[in-house]
Amino acid sequence: MADPVRVRVYVEGRVQGVAFRYTTWQEATRLGIGGWVQNLVDGRVEAVYEGTPDAVEEMLAWTRHGPPHARVTSLHIVDEPPRGEQGFEVR
């Protein structure tokens, strides 16, 4: 099994008020991703994804479009050292 990876993601666009956090939680749970997601006061969404490289890459691919009513215009992805995140939380 591959060593876990961790990324912090800042998502811009129409990403608040469109169930982005809830559907992120659903997708992360389906993929076995640890971490969390939260709205930021500037209108962006911030998330941390930790898991296998394949699962995190699939999660990032989903994040590039988000749920049906979202309109993602930009992602800023920062690699971080894994911290052993367990479960996924909506903040």
Side-chain angles (χ1 to χ4, degrees):
M1 182 175 238
D3 289 336
V5 297
R6 176 186 175 101
V7 295
R8 183 175 304 263
V9 183
Y10 297 94
V11 189
E12 294 184 36
R14 185 172 159 220
V15 293
Q16 291 190 14
V18 293
F20 202 98
R21 290 178 302 157
Y22 175 71
T23 54
T24 299
W25 170 81
Q26 286 181 313
E27 191 67 13
T29 300
R30 182 184 75 78
L31 293 170
I33 297 283
W36 49 266
V37 61
Q38 67 181 0
N39 286 340
L40 297 176
V41 296
D42 64 5
R44 296 179 299 162
V45 167
E46 177 184 20
V48 167
Y49 303 146
E50 187 170 327
T52 67
D54 287 346
V56 170
E57 192 54 47
E58 190 171 340
M59 191 69 210
L60 288 171
W62 179 89
T63 305
R64 285 182 175 88
H65 61 78
H69 295 291
R71 189 181 77 244
V72 176
T73 58
S74 169
L75 284 187
H76 179 72
I77 303 166
V78 180
D79 293 324
E80 296 184 345
R83 295 184 187 168
E85 294 279 354
Q86 299 294 312
F88 199 85
E89 174 185 0
V90 175
R91 294 184 174 173

